[in-house]
Every structure is written in C-alpha cells, then in structure tokens.
Amino acid sequence: MKILVTGGTGYIGSHTVVELLNKGHHVVIIDNLSNSQAFVVERIEEITGRKPEFHRFDLTDKAVTDAFFAAHHDLDGVIHFAAFKAVGESMTDPLMYYRNNLDSLINILQGMKDNGIKNLVFSSSCTVYGQPDKLPVKETSPVKEAWSPYGNTKQMSEQMIKFAVQAYGLKCIALRYFNPIGAHDSALIGELPLGEPNNLVPYITQTGIGIRKSLQVFGSDYNTPDGTAIRDYIHVVDLAKAHVVAVDRMISEVGKGDFEIFNLGTGNGYSVLEVIKSFEKVSGLKLNYRIVARRPGDIEKVWADTSYANKELKWKAEKSLDEMMRTAWNWEKALSEKK
Ligand code: WQD
C-alpha cells in the first residue's frame, strides 16, 4: 500500500517508516526539517534497503499541501506525526503551537477530503487526559482540562478529526502515546533534538556523553514513592509497530467504527529517578543530576491501561525500560562518533 507519513524524518515518524517499509508498504514522507535532519532518509534506506519518497515542505502552507495531495490522490492512508510536541516549550509560546499543529492538520484533512483519501492515523497523546483522577488511564477516561497548549492542540485535533470523519466519510485511528523513548537497535536512527532537549531521556544521554553538564530533575515533592514524577515510557519501536497495525486495520476495513482511539503505553509507570537508575545500570556511568523546582505544565503521574489496544490491535509493547535506555544510550554514542 502507498502510505503518506508526515513528520517522517522525525523521531517516531522515522521509526514508523522503517516498520512500514519492512512490511512492504510504499512510503511517502513530508517533513519541513524544523525538528529533524535530511540524513535520516538515507539511514532509513540503510536499515531497510528501500528508499522512501521524500518531500520537504511545511504543511501549514495550504497551496503547497493542496498541490501535493492532488498529485498523490492514490494514497491508501496517511499517518500524521508532523507537529511541535514539547510540553514545556508550549507553555512559553502557545500561539506557535496552535498555529503549527492545527493549521497543518486542517490542510491535511482538506487534502484528504478533496482527493478521496479515506484513512488517517493520528499521532495523539496521553496529555489529552491531563492529570487523570484514576490510574491506569483508559481510552474512556475523561479528557480533562489541558495542562499545556501542547496537550490542548492534541485535544482540539481529535475533535476536529471526529467532525471531519462524520462530515466527509473519512476514517481515523487516534493513537494516544505515552512517553516514547529509546532508539532503533541499529543505532542508525533515534531521537534527534535540535538544541537543548526538552525531553528527559535525550537530556540524560546528552549528560552521560558530556554534551550537558548535568540533568535537572524537575521536582521531588510529588505524591509518588520517591517524590519524582511518574510516566509510562514506551520503546519507540514498539510504538512504531502499532502504527503499522493501525493503518492495516483501516485499509482492510476490520475496524469498529470510523473514529477509534487507542492508548499506546506499556501499562507500567516509572519515576524520573528510576529512569536515571536504569541509565546508570545500562551505561555503567554515574549520572550527574540535581533536583530543582517542578516544571510548569507537568502532571504528577500517568500510566496506561493497555488492555483495549492489546486486545483489539493484537499488539503489546515488549521492550523493558533497560532495553529502552540501552538503545537510547547506544544511539547517543553513535551520534557522538558521527560528529
Ligand atoms: C518526562 C518527565 C519531567 C526533562 C512527553 C512528550 C509529549 C507527550 C508526552 C507524546 C517529567 C521530567 C524532563 C528534564 C526532568 N508524548 N524531566 N528533567 O513532559 O511527559 O511529555 O510525553 O505525545 O510529546 O513531550 O515528557 O520527557 O519532557 O518529561 O526531570 O530535563 O521527566 O518533569 O516528569 P513529558 P518529558
């Protein structure tokens, strides 16, 4: 099948392109390289032996996006990753997040509608739940008041898609990710933050390799066993594989309804200090970190109830926290050798 992957040179996008190519799909990537680099396309070819089509442009540009969809009206599906995604950054520049994340989605939905392209997998996020009252969090758990503009763009995007599906006869599977970390076993692709990382794991590995002096742990006064915040970390390759299952589910029309939602997590929550401990175990290094104040916009704890995705998608995250940290560290070391 011919699948469009927006944000396909990005972190989760590139790992998903690898899994799609491994499954024999033909892949077209759109990326504006605002948070990724073009060499990722060659790395994907090195891993899979197949080269995806690559178009570099910004999806907030309606005219260019319209022209792209008109020229690719034979697409069997779209997997939409392209968005800004840092919780902390969205607190400091909300308008940049609303404009980028919503305008690009509107242009994609328009292109799909105008060219009879039916199937959309949408990259959503557990941030739509805010701080859940009950854990583990289910797909039916209430979507609460967003704690950040980033989370709000994901909530608004899901609602926009729901109405577009109803009005235009599209189909969508929204995948609510928990915290994707780790890298491909080949250490040829991985998380590639431009500038200072916003996310925990690249900050840890950059501290380990010496790019950063020390890690700041945002808060140790949470109501958790060791006082640091808890997240459901999931290996990016496990996450990527779920996208292939989701797009195949829609194309083969075995879905239950036109707008399905699945939580993609492991079902286990780990604290910041537990992630640090795992890094120290797999790297053999002592990580330099210090406890500082909480980061605005952060929730205290969240982990997924994955039973619905496990049952319906016949998909389950397999990799352990240590495997996630080992591949993240191997990738960081490979990056430093490349420089
Ligand atoms: C994780 C924990 C921080 C950096 C991410 C993505 C978002 C969404 C949800 C997919 C928090 C702490 C972090 C640091 C720290 N994923 N931390 N020091 O905020 O949960 O959101 O997952 O859609 O796109 O950004 O991830 O890695 O920033 O933070 O102590 O230098 O690590 O406080 O508790 P977050 P994160």
Side-chain angles (χ1 to χ4, degrees):
M1 294 298 173
K2 184 175 176 185
I3 310 293
L4 167 62
V5 179
T6 74
T9 54
Y11 176 40
I12 307 171
S14 56
H15 287 83
T16 300
V17 170
V18 163
E19 298 307 324
L20 286 165
L21 292 171
N22 285 343
K23 280 275 181 150
H25 290 297
H26 172 78
V27 175
V28 181
I29 292 173
I30 296 173
D31 206 298
N32 66 359
L33 301 182
S34 64
N35 194 23
S36 61
Q37 296 181 41
F39 78 78
V40 170
V41 179
E42 278 70 52
R43 293 292 177 87
I44 289 170
E45 186 178 9
E46 204 176 327
I47 294 170
T48 63
R50 301 177 61 207
K51 190 171 175 100
E53 211 179 304
F54 175 50
H55 299 260
R56 179 182 181 180
F57 66 86
D58 193 319
L59 285 158
T60 58
D61 183 327
K62 182 175 182 326
V64 176
T65 304
D66 283 349
F68 171 87
F69 274 101
H72 291 82
H73 49 76
D74 58 341
L75 285 166
D76 295 293
V78 179
I79 304 180
H80 177 42
F81 291 106
F84 295 154
K85 59 107 185 161
V87 170
E89 185 187 45
S90 76
M91 299 295 279
T92 54
D93 195 347
L95 291 182
M96 178 176 86
Y97 269 68
Y98 287 116
R99 194 179 302 286
N100 182 71
N101 292 3
L102 300 180
D103 283 4
S104 47
L105 174 62
I106 290 166
N107 290 341
I108 287 165
L109 291 170
Q110 187 72 55
M112 291 179 71
K113 167 189 177 277
D114 294 347
N115 294 280
I117 299 164
K118 292 269 175 248
N119 302 311
L120 172 66
V121 175
F122 175 63
S123 159
S124 191
S125 165
C126 63
T127 37
V128 302
Y129 298 113
Q131 175 55 66
D133 297 328
K134 240 166 87 21
L135 289 169
V137 67
K138 291 176 175 302
E139 287 82 356
T140 50
S141 298
V143 169
K144 290 175 66 182
E145 172 84 11
W147 279 48
S148 68
Y150 164 75
N152 193 207
T153 65
K154 290 300 181 182
Q155 290 173 340
M156 293 168 73
S157 296
E158 285 190 2
Q159 285 160 357
M160 283 162 49
I161 292 168
K162 194 175 70 179
F163 286 114
V165 161
Q166 284 166 9
Y168 308 131
L170 307 179
K171 277 198 288 191
C172 176
I173 290 180
L175 299 176
R176 290 176 177 169
Y177 311 153
F178 284 69
N179 285 55
I181 64 170
H184 193 264
D185 280 343
S186 63
L188 289 170
I189 54 174
E191 198 158 3
L192 206 56
L194 303 183
E196 185 165 3
N198 288 295
N199 293 123
L200 176 66
V201 172
Y203 214 107
I204 287 178
T205 57
Q206 287 193 9
T207 303
I209 205 95
I211 296 172
R212 308 287 159 198
K213 277 205 182 40
S214 91
L215 168 79
Q216 296 182 98
V217 174
F218 295 139
S220 64
D221 58 347
Y222 285 104
N223 176 21
T224 60
D226 65 18
T228 61
I230 292 176
R231 296 288 186 277
D232 183 335
Y233 296 95
I234 175 170
H235 197 291
V236 66
V237 173
D238 281 332
L239 196 66
K241 288 178 176 170
H243 288 75
V244 182
V245 172
V247 77
D248 287 345
R249 178 183 175 92
M250 277 191 297
I251 292 172
S252 47
E253 312 221 330
V254 293
K256 291 183 175 152
D258 293 337
F259 184 71
E260 295 185 286
I261 294 174
F262 295 100
N263 282 344
L264 297 187
T266 64
N268 307 309
Y270 291 103
S271 72
V272 176
L273 290 179
E274 286 173 315
V275 176
I276 291 171
K277 213 185 275 97
S278 172
F279 171 74
E280 293 183 332
K281 178 179 160 193
V282 302
S283 66
L285 299 175
K286 189 95 190 71
L287 189 78
N288 188 10
Y289 68 88
R290 65 191 192 286
I291 309 281
V292 299
R294 295 183 179 191
R295 178 175 66 179
D298 276 350
I299 60 163
E300 177 170 81
K301 51 192 169 193
V302 67
W303 59 90
D305 176 326
T306 61
S307 52
Y308 185 59
N310 299 154
K311 177 171 151 290
E312 277 304 315
L313 299 179
K314 297 184 183 53
W315 163 90
K316 189 168 171 44
E318 288 150 11
K319 295 173 187 289
S320 67
L321 179 63
D322 288 351
E323 279 175 87
M324 298 179 212
M325 294 311 290
R326 187 174 304 111
T327 52
W329 181 230
N330 288 342
W331 163 245
E332 189 67 65
K333 290 188 286 185
L335 267 183
S336 68
E337 280 143 31
K338 172 177 176 282
K339 281 183 182 120

